[in-house]
């Protein structure tokens, strides 16, 4: 691992404009990644609003994400100025953070749009499918494979046109590959991935998001342009159905459905769109529609579902849902659905400790209490550790009616409750259901998608520490987990964790 100075020199060398954090006022949080947060910020010189991605250097080093940062900047540099992508205005750094100043996507993400209108009508799906396909073609023409295409990474500008973002997982390959065999492509890509990886390894690590990742990536094989075509098929399915094509209670079961191609369509699903999706979601990447096209993904464009689209003018048109909303008087052209953010008068430029504290305060308030629907299944409870297997099995039978039982992996849930979890001081919390089980295990779950997100690793060095009635930390050898119980049960969490620890390590 390198030092913070090495990170600075390697990844923030080129800038388009001379700026630093004091040239911007930082407003609301608009996004969060695995090692970064994104704020809406205003340039104090021009009053122009930007999205500023802030990466904590120590977090980058701890998680060995140096190559991710490098790829993100390189991809943005190549694609800036092209329709369908964020523009990178400038990059800079201070002693602890890296900054990427990019186009502000005023209208949020494609996922947020789908959440607002539930399901897009077919004309709107065709519109966005064409814009996404255009952008994919541009990426691939510039030798960039995204590898993490999903609705959250497709942003909407002020006219509701798409902009693809988040290139940290991308692969950038300048090798000319059109006239070599598929076996040679595989070998070449292996070498390329290993050269760009933090450490050399024969098998490539998983990149992407469970519901959209291609089967070849899951099997540790080469990622190619075809991997993005698979993700495109998944996004097309979700725009029509309102949910992804492959779902499950955890990543493992989702991966199983992908590798077995367990693809089904709702009864009302458009049969022409289904035909296109079936030609895109093919296990063999070389047999996916469009992969063998010489240019422009002509075979996808000419499919019956998209054949009437004018791909040349598609970015000059308004999305169909916006036109219908304007005609019905449901919205104004200037601001159809997105709430306006006004920068408070007392904001000071920069992102020093005082401003971070202010932003964190806003974010903690924004997280709020869980919804009534979710809260109804969560009460403060601490189950005593059973004295024997017979008692444990009896309680396990009763536990099967609990909605969180499938996540306990056959173990007893000793304590459960909602917590706000974050990685460190700069990071905003995410709402999670936390389960303390026999085993022992500390499992945290996304309560909206109902997917297990991870575990806090147990060892004889694990230690729980209550900061106050709401805040508590779980210290492990390699990381400290920052947790907040908004109901004020932090002390009970620490006590329950300590009792489980004593049972395992102090017999």
């Amino acid at each position: 691992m390198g030092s913070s100075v090495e990170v600075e020199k390697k990844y923030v060398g080129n800038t388009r404009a001379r700026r630093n954090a004091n040239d911007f006022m930082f407003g609301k949080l608009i996004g969060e990644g695995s090692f970064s947060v994104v704020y809406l910020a205003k340039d104090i010189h021009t009053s122009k609003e930007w999205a500023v991605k802030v990466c904590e250097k120590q977090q980058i080093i701890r998680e060995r994400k140096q190559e991710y940062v490098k790829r993100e900047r390189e991809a943005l540099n190549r694609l800036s100025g092209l329709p369908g992508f964020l523009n990178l205005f400038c990059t800079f750094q201070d002693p602890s953070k890296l900054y990427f100043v990019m186009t502000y996507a005023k209208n949020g993400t494609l996922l947020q749009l789908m959440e607002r209108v539930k399901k897009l009508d077919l004309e709107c799906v065709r519109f966005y499918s064409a814009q996404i396909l255009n952008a994919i073609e541009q990426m691939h023409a510039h030798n960039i494979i995204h590898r993490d295409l999903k609705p959250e990474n497709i942003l909407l500008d002020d006219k509701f046109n798409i902009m693809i973002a988040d290139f940290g997982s991308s692969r950038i390959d300048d090798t000319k590959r059109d006239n070599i065999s598929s076996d040679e492509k595989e070998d070449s890509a292996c070498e390329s991935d290993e050269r760009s990886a933090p450490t050399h390894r024969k098998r490539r690590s998983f990149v992407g998001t469970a519901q959209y990742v291609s089967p070849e990536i899951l099997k540790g094989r080469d990622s190619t342009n075809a991997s993005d075509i698979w993700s495109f098929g998944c996004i097309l399915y979700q725009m029509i159905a309102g949910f992804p094509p492959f779902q499950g209670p955890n990543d493992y079961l989702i991966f199983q459905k992908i590798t077995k191609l367990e693809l089904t369509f709702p009864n009302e699903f458009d049969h022409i769109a289904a035909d296109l999706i079936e030609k895109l979601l093919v296990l063999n990447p070389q047999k996916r529609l469009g992969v063998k096209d010489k240019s422009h993904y002509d075979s996808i464009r000419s499919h019956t579902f998209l054949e009437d689209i004018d791909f040349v003018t598609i970015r000059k048109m308004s999305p169909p849902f916006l036109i219908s909303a304007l005609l019905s008087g449901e919205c104004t052209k200037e601001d159809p659905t997105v709430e306006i953010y006004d920068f408070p008068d007392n904001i000071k430029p920069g992102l020093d400790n005082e401003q971070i504290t202010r932003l964190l305060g806003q974010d903690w308030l924004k997280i709020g209490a869980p919804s009534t629907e979710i809260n109804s299944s969560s009460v403060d409870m601490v189950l005593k550790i059973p004295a024997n297997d017979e008692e444990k099995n009896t309680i396990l039978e009763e536990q099967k009616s609990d909605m969180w039982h499938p996540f306990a992996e056959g173990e007893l849930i000793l304590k459960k409750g909602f917590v706000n979890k974050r990685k460190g001081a700069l990071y905003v919390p995410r709402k999670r259901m936390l389960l303390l089980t026999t085993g022992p295990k500390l499992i945290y779950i996304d309560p909206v998608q109902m997917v297990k997100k991870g575990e806090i690793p147990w060892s004889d060095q694990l230690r729980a520490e209550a900061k106050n009635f709401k805040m508590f930390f779980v210290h492990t050898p390699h990381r400290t987990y920052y947790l907040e119980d908004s109901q004020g049960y932090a002390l009970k969490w620490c006590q329950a964790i300590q009792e489980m620890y004593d049972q395992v390590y102090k017999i």
Side-chain angles (χ1 to χ4, degrees):
M1 293 193 295
S3 67
S4 295
V5 174
E6 290 171 336
V7 174
E8 293 171 17
K9 290 180 178 177
K10 193 170 183 180
Y11 305 118
V12 197
N14 297 325
T15 60
R16 285 190 173 83
R18 297 276 182 185
R19 290 286 192 274
N20 60 51
N22 291 324
D23 290 304
F24 299 90
M25 293 187 294
F26 289 82
K28 66 177 181 177
L29 172 88
I30 55 176
E32 182 180 7
S34 60
F35 53 90
S36 62
V37 288
V38 184
Y39 291 107
L40 173 61
K42 182 186 286 187
D43 189 319
I44 63 172
H45 307 288
T46 65
S47 294
K48 184 174 175 60
E49 293 181 347
W50 298 96
V52 180
K53 187 171 190 173
V54 183
C55 310
E56 192 176 20
K57 292 176 184 177
Q58 288 302 321
Q59 189 80 11
I60 293 169
I61 293 169
R62 259 196 313 272
E63 298 190 15
R64 300 182 180 182
K65 300 292 188 182
Q66 294 96 321
E67 288 297 324
Y68 285 69
V69 179
K70 179 182 177 182
R71 284 197 295 264
E72 174 100 33
R73 194 193 66 182
E74 174 62 22
L76 288 171
N77 275 328
R78 291 192 186 195
L79 299 171
S80 282
L82 296 176
F85 303 96
L86 295 173
N87 286 328
L88 180 64
F89 176 57
C90 66
T91 60
F92 54 87
Q93 51 83 25
D94 63 26
S96 62
K97 294 179 284 293
L98 308 178
Y99 300 80
F100 290 70
V101 182
M102 302 174 290
T103 309
Y104 170 44
K106 178 181 177 181
N107 286 306
T109 69
L110 181 60
L111 179 65
Q112 290 168 332
L113 176 63
M114 288 192 286
E115 289 172 345
R116 289 198 293 268
V117 300
K118 303 307 178 187
K119 284 194 292 186
L120 303 176
D121 63 44
L122 288 180
E123 285 307 306
C124 200
V125 172
R126 289 187 181 95
F127 175 87
Y128 280 121
S129 296
Q131 287 204 344
I132 294 167
L133 187 62
N134 264 347
I136 289 173
E137 181 200 339
Q138 287 283 356
M139 282 192 306
H140 293 172
H142 286 78
N143 299 313
I144 297 170
I145 304 170
H146 192 285
R147 302 201 293 186
D148 195 19
L149 283 174
K150 56 185 177 181
E152 296 98 309
N153 287 340
I154 298 174
L155 310 184
L156 302 173
D157 66 13
D158 55 349
K159 295 181 180 178
F160 281 86
N161 289 311
I162 70 105
M163 297 185 293
I164 293 180
D166 201 350
F167 288 87
S169 298
S170 65
R171 200 188 81 206
I172 302 175
D173 186 2
D174 288 323
T175 305
K176 187 70 176 176
R177 302 155 63 81
D178 292 341
N179 298 319
I180 60 176
S181 70
S182 58
D183 289 339
E184 289 172 325
K185 285 182 180 181
E186 176 99 14
D187 294 339
S188 174
C190 290
E191 293 168 5
S192 174
D193 270 0
E194 290 190 12
R195 282 196 302 269
S196 66
T199 57
H200 292 280
R201 54 188 179 275
K202 292 182 180 178
R203 191 177 182 88
R204 286 157 304 289
S205 58
F206 162 73
V207 293
T209 302
Q211 289 91 337
Y212 311 93
V213 71
S214 64
E216 64 270 17
I217 291 180
L218 286 180
K219 292 178 179 179
R221 296 175 184 166
D222 183 21
S223 56
T224 65
N225 292 351
S227 305
D228 286 344
I229 294 299
W230 173 280
S231 300
F232 172 62
C234 294
I235 295 167
L236 174 55
Y237 182 107
Q238 186 171 352
M239 283 194 288
I240 297 173
F243 49 83
F246 305 102
Q247 299 185 85
N250 56 55
D251 286 355
Y252 174 77
L253 292 178
I254 293 172
F255 295 161
Q256 290 290 99
K257 289 186 176 183
I258 291 171
T259 55
K260 295 177 182 177
L261 196 61
E262 295 181 7
L263 178 65
T264 59
F265 296 90
N267 291 333
E268 69 279 9
F269 204 97
D270 182 79
H271 70 280
I272 298 175
D275 180 75
L276 173 56
I277 291 167
E278 285 178 332
K279 289 178 167 65
L280 297 172
L281 299 184
V282 178
L283 291 178
N284 184 338
Q286 292 303 310
K287 293 185 178 180
R288 287 173 203 153
L289 189 67
V291 167
K292 294 185 178 179
D293 293 351
K294 295 197 174 176
S295 64
H296 304 302
Y297 290 116
D298 289 331
S299 59
I300 301 177
R301 292 177 180 223
S302 61
H303 187 277
T304 308
F305 186 72
L306 295 173
E307 63 181 358
D308 294 331
I309 296 290
D310 184 346
F311 282 83
V312 175
T313 63
I314 190 67
R315 289 198 65 88
K316 298 176 183 177
M317 300 167 58
S318 295
F321 85 87
L322 180 55
I323 293 172
S324 62
L326 286 168
L327 291 175
S328 66
E330 293 176 4
C331 67
T332 64
K333 187 173 182 180
E334 288 74 21
D335 186 25
T337 56
V338 173
E339 130 186 24
I340 298 292
Y341 176 80
D342 291 321
F343 283 80
D345 295 333
N346 60 347
I347 289 184
K348 297 177 182 177
L351 199 60
D352 57 16
N353 289 336
E354 179 183 348
Q355 295 305 319
I356 289 175
T357 301
R358 171 184 61 80
L359 290 166
L360 283 176
Q362 290 178 0
D363 296 329
W364 282 98
L365 289 172
K366 186 183 75 172
I367 293 294
S371 69
T372 304
E373 180 181 351
I374 293 177
N375 246 344
S376 64
S377 64
S378 173
V379 293
D380 174 56
M381 49 81 74
V382 182
L383 184 69
K384 289 189 177 180
I385 300 170
N388 52 56
D389 288 343
E390 183 179 353
E391 183 181 349
K392 178 180 178 180
N393 291 334
T394 300
I395 302 173
L396 268 175
E397 279 300 312
E398 298 173 356
Q399 183 180 288
K400 288 181 179 178
S401 62
D402 190 319
M403 67 182 291
W404 306 106
H405 172 74
F407 297 96
E409 301 173 359
E411 296 290 342
L412 280 183
I413 300 174
L414 301 176
K415 180 165 173 57
K416 65 179 180 180
F418 287 97
V419 298
N420 293 323
K421 171 183 171 291
R422 63 178 180 176
K423 291 182 177 180
L426 183 62
Y427 288 76
V428 296
R430 292 182 174 181
K431 193 184 301 176
R432 297 289 181 251
M433 166 57 70
L434 183 64
L435 306 181
L436 170 63
T437 73
T438 53
K441 289 187 176 181
L442 275 166
I443 300 167
Y444 47 94
I445 302 153
D446 182 332
V448 177
Q449 296 187 1
M450 292 299 287
V451 171
K452 175 183 173 181
K453 301 303 289 187
E455 296 181 22
I456 299 177
W458 275 84
S459 74
D460 58 0
Q461 297 178 61
L462 181 140
R463 182 170 61 89
E465 174 193 1
K467 189 72 174 175
N468 51 47
F469 289 110
K470 291 186 177 183
M471 290 289 300
F472 65 104
F473 306 144
V474 178
H475 303 283
T476 69
H478 302 293
R479 177 176 165 188
T480 294
Y481 292 78
Y482 298 76
L483 305 164
E484 183 209 32
D485 186 319
S486 60
Q487 304 300 312
Y489 297 125
L491 294 173
K492 288 190 177 182
W493 271 112
C494 291
Q495 183 180 23
I497 293 169
Q498 185 62 47
E499 287 177 1
M500 189 70 246
Y501 179 94
D502 293 342
Q503 177 77 12
V504 174
Y505 296 110
K506 294 188 177 181
I507 297 176

